[in-house]
Amino acid sequence: MKDEVYTLLGNKNLSKTPCRVEILNTLIEAGTALSENDIRNKLSYNFDRTTIYRTIKSFLDQDVIHSISLDNGEVRYAITRTREKHIEHFHAHFYCDGCTNVYCLPRPEFIPPQLPEGFVASGFDLLINGKCKNCHNHRQDIW
Amino acid sequence: MKDEVYTLLGNKNLSKTPCRVEILNTLIEAGTALSENDIRNKLSYNFDRTTIYRTIKSFLDQDVIHSISLDNGEVRYAITRTREKHIEHFHAHFYCDGCTNVYCLPRPEFIPPQLPEGFVASGFDLLINGKCKNCHNHRQDIW
DNA sequence: CTTATTTTTGCAACATTGTTGCAAAATCTG
DNA sequence: CAGATTTTGCAACAATGTTGCAAAAATAAG
């Protein structure tokens, strides 16, 4: 809990301010990726928008969290739980069409699709959509 | 050229206004996906921002084009060249770290990664990054 | 623990992008 | 060509990204 947050902030040389502690805590406790608004709404104190923006930016810079851009332009943030540095270049997330939650997925096997002649891949970002466990029950349109 | 554009607009029941013709033409001729700004800068006439916005929206609605959201939030648009309807749920694009161009890739084989228990996939969006043919020559950091 | 130094906050301000309403202008239909 | 239907251009906002600056808070040093 708090300890984890403090340790994390300490490791990354980020000062332990209420805003940072709360945001980080919120993201750790959330099972899914959260938007800036989601985050703001979960905080006990009404921090300034800029402060939240900059806190998120710091966390991103330090790889404490990572961002996921959805098709509609919405951005969500989630704790980065990868251990190895290079894995950062291989992201996979799941977007639930039912509840719209976004979940981080473990690194998938990278089967690079046929690339045009001369193209070389160095990473990827995969966003799978479908129904999560909860929403799968009230199933509707399974392909 | 123009004929292709006219036919396309006709098929989709979109009126053939200068703005639509030009934008569609621009996107067809571009080998890569373009941002709204890229598009605007290539037009001969200074159409209103709203008009371009709405034109793009119409094209998206009619599946004439599709959008690609980059990690940094930037959005690019490209002609939809898929024939079969259902393929729309399987997008793959290539982002060149060198020139920042975005290319549409043919539909890759979908090797669904291990999903959590109870999760069901129905589509995906894959953005591969690396170096395109041109930029690969002045190679730098190949993994 | 108190002070000096370094960071973070809050606030004002702006840029960009997404979006809508409305009247004028253009396009389409017969 | 004339009337009906759409699209444009413009004004206006909302949401989000971003920066500068002084006040407030956190950290480091003694």
Side-chain angles (χ1 to χ4, degrees):
Chain A
M1 22 205 45
K2 276 287 156 72
D3 281 345
E4 179 184 357
V5 173
Y6 273 68
T7 307
L8 196 41
L9 289 173
N11 289 341
K12 299 292 187 170
N13 248 74
L14 291 164
S15 56
K16 303 164 193 67
T17 67
C19 181
R20 293 186 173 179
V21 172
E22 262 209 73
I23 290 185
L24 191 46
N25 216 51
T26 300
L27 283 170
I28 288 179
E29 289 177 356
T32 64
L34 302 179
S35 68
E36 187 178 317
N37 263 320
D38 292 336
I39 294 173
R40 192 191 340 281
N41 295 332
K42 285 173 181 284
L43 300 180
S44 66
Y45 175 78
N46 202 305
F47 295 97
D48 187 78
R49 198 168 67 82
T50 310
T51 301
I52 296 180
Y53 162 73
R54 277 192 275 225
T55 298
I56 289 176
K57 199 165 186 181
S58 299
F59 287 173
L60 287 174
D61 287 345
Q62 299 301 313
D63 286 317
V64 176
I65 66 177
H66 59 279
S67 68
I68 302 117
S69 296
L70 305 186
D71 287 343
N72 65 3
E74 205 193 322
V75 181
R76 307 258 178 102
Y77 305 94
I79 290 289
T80 297
R81 297 202 178 277
T82 46
R83 292 143 200 83
E84 299 152 75
K85 203 69 180 169
H86 72 279
I87 287 191
E88 281 156 33
H89 300 296
F90 303 88
H91 285 298
H93 295 97
F94 187 93
Y95 174 86
C96 177
D97 297 318
C99 58
T100 75
N101 278 340
V102 170
Y103 307 84
C104 295
L105 296 178
R107 173 186 173 169
E109 295 170 48
F110 183 38
I111 312 276
Q114 187 72 27
L115 294 179
E117 171 74 24
F119 281 50
V120 177
S122 62
F124 69 88
D125 235 292
L126 176 63
L127 183 63
I128 296 176
N129 68 288
K131 291 278 172 69
C132 74
K133 187 168 188 170
N134 285 334
C135 301
H136 186 208
N137 298 325
H138 348 111
R139 70 176 68 188
Q140 298 182 299
D141 45 17
I142 304 299
W143 57 328
Chain B
M1 22 206 44
K2 277 286 156 73
D3 280 345
E4 180 183 357
V5 173
Y6 273 67
T7 307
L8 197 41
L9 289 174
N11 289 341
K12 299 292 187 171
N13 248 74
L14 292 165
S15 56
K16 304 164 191 68
T17 66
C19 181
R20 293 186 173 179
V21 171
E22 263 209 71
I23 290 185
L24 192 46
N25 217 51
T26 299
L27 283 169
I28 287 180
E29 288 177 356
T32 63
L34 303 179
S35 69
E36 187 179 315
N37 265 320
D38 293 334
I39 294 174
R40 193 192 337 280
N41 294 333
K42 285 173 182 285
L43 300 181
S44 66
Y45 175 80
N46 203 303
F47 295 97
D48 187 80
R49 199 168 68 82
T50 312
T51 300
I52 296 180
Y53 162 72
R54 276 191 277 224
T55 297
I56 289 176
K57 198 165 187 181
S58 299
F59 288 173
L60 287 173
D61 286 345
Q62 298 301 314
D63 286 317
V64 176
I65 66 178
H66 59 278
S67 68
I68 301 117
S69 296
L70 304 185
D71 288 343
N72 65 4
E74 204 192 322
V75 181
R76 307 260 178 100
Y77 304 94
I79 290 287
T80 298
R81 298 202 179 279
T82 47
R83 290 141 203 84
E84 299 152 75
K85 203 69 181 169
H86 72 278
I87 287 192
E88 282 156 31
H89 300 296
F90 303 88
H91 285 299
H93 294 97
F94 187 93
Y95 174 87
C96 177
D97 297 318
C99 59
T100 76
N101 277 340
V102 170
Y103 306 84
C104 296
L105 296 178
R107 174 186 173 169
E109 295 169 49
F110 183 37
I111 313 273
Q114 187 73 27
L115 293 179
E117 171 75 25
F119 281 50
V120 176
S122 62
F124 69 88
D125 235 292
L126 175 63
L127 183 62
I128 296 177
N129 67 287
K131 291 277 172 68
C132 75
K133 188 167 187 170
N134 285 334
C135 300
H136 186 208
N137 297 324
H138 350 110
R139 70 177 68 189
Q140 299 183 296
D141 44 18
I142 305 299
W143 57 327

PDB file of all heavy atoms in Angstrom, chain A residues 8 10 14 18 22 26 30 34 47 58 72 79-80 85 88 102 126 141:
ATOM      1  N   LEU A   8       8.452   3.217  -4.476  1.00  0.00           N
ATOM      2  CA  LEU A   8       8.464   3.480  -5.911  1.00  0.00           C
ATOM      3  C   LEU A   8       8.907   4.907  -6.193  1.00  0.00           C
ATOM      4  O   LEU A   8       9.784   5.157  -7.022  1.00  0.00           O
ATOM      5  CB  LEU A   8       7.058   3.226  -6.465  1.00  0.00           C
ATOM      6  CG  LEU A   8       6.883   3.065  -7.972  1.00  0.00           C
ATOM      7  CD1 LEU A   8       8.008   2.217  -8.556  1.00  0.00           C
ATOM      8  CD2 LEU A   8       5.542   2.424  -8.243  1.00  0.00           C
ATOM      9  N   GLY A  10      10.540   6.843  -4.229  1.00  0.00           N
ATOM     10  CA  GLY A  10      11.919   7.004  -3.803  1.00  0.00           C
ATOM     11  C   GLY A  10      12.884   6.491  -4.862  1.00  0.00           C
ATOM     12  O   GLY A  10      13.844   7.167  -5.230  1.00  0.00           O
ATOM     13  N   LEU A  14      11.434  10.745  -7.085  1.00  0.00           N
ATOM     14  CA  LEU A  14      10.295  11.656  -7.187  1.00  0.00           C
ATOM     15  C   LEU A  14       9.876  12.001  -5.769  1.00  0.00           C
ATOM     16  O   LEU A  14       9.726  11.104  -4.925  1.00  0.00           O
ATOM     17  CB  LEU A  14       9.138  10.969  -7.921  1.00  0.00           C
ATOM     18  CG  LEU A  14       9.377  10.698  -9.407  1.00  0.00           C
ATOM     19  CD1 LEU A  14       8.367   9.697  -9.943  1.00  0.00           C
ATOM     20  CD2 LEU A  14       9.304  12.010 -10.183  1.00  0.00           C
ATOM     21  N   PRO A  18       1.655  14.891  -1.592  1.00  0.00           N
ATOM     22  CA  PRO A  18       0.315  14.294  -1.511  1.00  0.00           C
ATOM     23  C   PRO A  18      -0.235  13.949  -2.884  1.00  0.00           C
ATOM     24  O   PRO A  18      -0.780  12.866  -3.093  1.00  0.00           O
ATOM     25  CB  PRO A  18      -0.513  15.395  -0.854  1.00  0.00           C
ATOM     26  CG  PRO A  18       0.464  16.133  -0.013  1.00  0.00           C
ATOM     27  CD  PRO A  18       1.732  16.131  -0.806  1.00  0.00           C
ATOM     28  N   GLU A  22      -1.059  10.182  -3.909  1.00  0.00           N
ATOM     29  CA  GLU A  22      -2.454   9.795  -4.162  1.00  0.00           C
ATOM     30  C   GLU A  22      -2.669   9.256  -5.562  1.00  0.00           C
ATOM     31  O   GLU A  22      -3.357   8.259  -5.767  1.00  0.00           O
ATOM     32  CB  GLU A  22      -3.366  11.011  -3.950  1.00  0.00           C
ATOM     33  CG  GLU A  22      -4.012  11.024  -2.585  1.00  0.00           C
ATOM     34  CD  GLU A  22      -5.347  11.733  -2.617  1.00  0.00           C
ATOM     35  OE1 GLU A  22      -6.300  11.159  -3.153  1.00  0.00           O
ATOM     36  OE2 GLU A  22      -5.421  12.875  -2.104  1.00  0.00           O
ATOM     37  N   THR A  26      -3.767   5.576  -6.522  1.00  0.00           N
ATOM     38  CA  THR A  26      -4.984   5.354  -7.296  1.00  0.00           C
ATOM     39  C   THR A  26      -4.711   4.426  -8.470  1.00  0.00           C
ATOM     40  O   THR A  26      -5.475   3.496  -8.740  1.00  0.00           O
ATOM     41  CB  THR A  26      -5.505   6.698  -7.837  1.00  0.00           C
ATOM     42  OG1 THR A  26      -5.787   7.553  -6.733  1.00  0.00           O
ATOM     43  CG2 THR A  26      -6.761   6.493  -8.666  1.00  0.00           C
ATOM     44  N   ALA A  30      -6.232   0.684  -8.965  1.00  0.00           N
ATOM     45  CA  ALA A  30      -7.144   0.456 -10.090  1.00  0.00           C
ATOM     46  C   ALA A  30      -6.710  -0.799 -10.838  1.00  0.00           C
ATOM     47  O   ALA A  30      -5.534  -1.011 -11.072  1.00  0.00           O
ATOM     48  CB  ALA A  30      -7.124   1.650 -11.026  1.00  0.00           C
ATOM     49  N   LEU A  34      -6.527   4.218 -16.282  1.00  0.00           N
ATOM     50  CA  LEU A  34      -7.441   5.319 -15.991  1.00  0.00           C
ATOM     51  C   LEU A  34      -7.112   6.550 -16.825  1.00  0.00           C
ATOM     52  O   LEU A  34      -5.954   6.812 -17.144  1.00  0.00           O
ATOM     53  CB  LEU A  34      -7.329   5.703 -14.513  1.00  0.00           C
ATOM     54  CG  LEU A  34      -7.610   4.612 -13.486  1.00  0.00           C
ATOM     55  CD1 LEU A  34      -7.422   5.167 -12.080  1.00  0.00           C
ATOM     56  CD2 LEU A  34      -9.019   4.062 -13.657  1.00  0.00           C
ATOM     57  N   PHE A  47      -6.832  18.779  -6.740  1.00  0.00           N
ATOM     58  CA  PHE A  47      -5.575  19.338  -7.218  1.00  0.00           C
ATOM     59  C   PHE A  47      -5.804  20.068  -8.530  1.00  0.00           C
ATOM     60  O   PHE A  47      -6.726  19.751  -9.273  1.00  0.00           O
ATOM     61  CB  PHE A  47      -4.554  18.228  -7.432  1.00  0.00           C
ATOM     62  CG  PHE A  47      -4.157  17.540  -6.164  1.00  0.00           C
ATOM     63  CD1 PHE A  47      -4.760  16.340  -5.795  1.00  0.00           C
ATOM     64  CD2 PHE A  47      -3.198  18.099  -5.336  1.00  0.00           C
ATOM     65  CE1 PHE A  47      -4.413  15.717  -4.609  1.00  0.00           C
ATOM     66  CE2 PHE A  47      -2.838  17.469  -4.155  1.00  0.00           C
ATOM     67  CZ  PHE A  47      -3.454  16.280  -3.788  1.00  0.00           C
ATOM     68  N   SER A  58       5.587  13.464 -15.170  1.00  0.00           N
ATOM     69  CA  SER A  58       6.758  12.980 -14.439  1.00  0.00           C
ATOM     70  C   SER A  58       6.758  11.461 -14.373  1.00  0.00           C
ATOM     71  O   SER A  58       7.777  10.815 -14.591  1.00  0.00           O
ATOM     72  CB  SER A  58       6.760  13.523 -13.012  1.00  0.00           C
ATOM     73  OG  SER A  58       6.821  14.922 -13.005  1.00  0.00           O
ATOM     74  N   ASN A  72     -10.345   6.529 -30.179  1.00  0.00           N
ATOM     75  CA  ASN A  72     -11.112   7.770 -30.162  1.00  0.00           C
ATOM     76  C   ASN A  72     -10.299   8.942 -29.625  1.00  0.00           C
ATOM     77  O   ASN A  72     -10.839  10.007 -29.379  1.00  0.00           O
ATOM     78  CB  ASN A  72     -12.394   7.589 -29.343  1.00  0.00           C
ATOM     79  CG  ASN A  72     -12.077   7.331 -27.892  1.00  0.00           C
ATOM     80  OD1 ASN A  72     -10.913   7.346 -27.484  1.00  0.00           O
ATOM     81  ND2 ASN A  72     -13.096   7.112 -27.110  1.00  0.00           N
ATOM     82  N   ILE A  79      -0.066   1.743 -14.403  1.00  0.00           N
ATOM     83  CA  ILE A  79       1.218   1.449 -13.790  1.00  0.00           C
ATOM     84  C   ILE A  79       2.045   0.567 -14.714  1.00  0.00           C
ATOM     85  O   ILE A  79       1.501  -0.327 -15.346  1.00  0.00           O
ATOM     86  CB  ILE A  79       0.983   0.691 -12.462  1.00  0.00           C
ATOM     87  CG1 ILE A  79       0.370   1.620 -11.435  1.00  0.00           C
ATOM     88  CG2 ILE A  79       2.266   0.093 -11.938  1.00  0.00           C
ATOM     89  CD1 ILE A  79       1.326   2.654 -10.921  1.00  0.00           C
ATOM     90  N   THR A  80       3.319   0.828 -14.785  1.00  0.00           N
ATOM     91  CA  THR A  80       4.197  -0.014 -15.594  1.00  0.00           C
ATOM     92  C   THR A  80       4.755  -1.106 -14.704  1.00  0.00           C
ATOM     93  O   THR A  80       5.417  -0.826 -13.708  1.00  0.00           O
ATOM     94  CB  THR A  80       5.368   0.823 -16.146  1.00  0.00           C
ATOM     95  OG1 THR A  80       4.835   1.827 -17.003  1.00  0.00           O
ATOM     96  CG2 THR A  80       6.328  -0.060 -16.930  1.00  0.00           C
ATOM     97  N   LYS A  85      13.785  -3.621 -19.109  1.00  0.00           N
ATOM     98  CA  LYS A  85      13.679  -2.357 -19.809  1.00  0.00           C
ATOM     99  C   LYS A  85      13.162  -2.486 -21.244  1.00  0.00           C
ATOM    100  O   LYS A  85      12.262  -1.769 -21.661  1.00  0.00           O
ATOM    101  CB  LYS A  85      15.061  -1.702 -19.838  1.00  0.00           C
ATOM    102  CG  LYS A  85      15.014  -0.199 -20.033  1.00  0.00           C
ATOM    103  CD  LYS A  85      14.446   0.495 -18.820  1.00  0.00           C
ATOM    104  CE  LYS A  85      14.416   2.005 -19.052  1.00  0.00           C
ATOM    105  NZ  LYS A  85      13.647   2.693 -18.046  1.00  0.00           N
ATOM    106  N   GLU A  88       9.514  -2.558 -22.704  1.00  0.00           N
ATOM    107  CA  GLU A  88       8.684  -1.374 -22.898  1.00  0.00           C
ATOM    108  C   GLU A  88       8.283  -1.148 -24.353  1.00  0.00           C
ATOM    109  O   GLU A  88       7.323  -0.471 -24.643  1.00  0.00           O
ATOM    110  CB  GLU A  88       9.439  -0.134 -22.420  1.00  0.00           C
ATOM    111  CG  GLU A  88       9.392   0.000 -20.920  1.00  0.00           C
ATOM    112  CD  GLU A  88      10.546   0.824 -20.412  1.00  0.00           C
ATOM    113  OE1 GLU A  88      10.958   1.724 -21.133  1.00  0.00           O
ATOM    114  OE2 GLU A  88      11.031   0.542 -19.299  1.00  0.00           O
ATOM    115  N   VAL A 102      -9.760  -0.664 -19.829  1.00  0.00           N
ATOM    116  CA  VAL A 102      -8.551  -1.055 -20.549  1.00  0.00           C
ATOM    117  C   VAL A 102      -7.646  -1.814 -19.586  1.00  0.00           C
ATOM    118  O   VAL A 102      -7.363  -1.330 -18.486  1.00  0.00           O
ATOM    119  CB  VAL A 102      -7.800   0.183 -21.082  1.00  0.00           C
ATOM    120  CG1 VAL A 102      -6.435  -0.217 -21.615  1.00  0.00           C
ATOM    121  CG2 VAL A 102      -8.622   0.856 -22.171  1.00  0.00           C
ATOM    122  N   LEU A 126      -0.038  -3.020 -29.385  1.00  0.00           N
ATOM    123  CA  LEU A 126      -1.192  -3.814 -29.798  1.00  0.00           C
ATOM    124  C   LEU A 126      -2.368  -3.530 -28.885  1.00  0.00           C
ATOM    125  O   LEU A 126      -2.246  -3.626 -27.673  1.00  0.00           O
ATOM    126  CB  LEU A 126      -0.827  -5.308 -29.734  1.00  0.00           C
ATOM    127  CG  LEU A 126      -1.932  -6.315 -30.033  1.00  0.00           C
ATOM    128  CD1 LEU A 126      -2.434  -6.158 -31.461  1.00  0.00           C
ATOM    129  CD2 LEU A 126      -1.404  -7.728 -29.813  1.00  0.00           C
ATOM    130  N   ASP A 141     -22.445  -9.635 -29.517  1.00  0.00           N
ATOM    131  CA  ASP A 141     -21.976  -9.953 -30.866  1.00  0.00           C
ATOM    132  C   ASP A 141     -20.586 -10.590 -30.835  1.00  0.00           C
ATOM    133  O   ASP A 141     -19.588  -9.899 -30.912  1.00  0.00           O
ATOM    134  CB  ASP A 141     -21.962  -8.708 -31.736  1.00  0.00           C
ATOM    135  CG  ASP A 141     -21.345  -7.554 -30.975  1.00  0.00           C
ATOM    136  OD1 ASP A 141     -20.674  -7.832 -29.958  1.00  0.00           O
ATOM    137  OD2 ASP A 141     -21.523  -6.436 -31.382  1.00  0.00           O
TER     138      ASP A 141
END
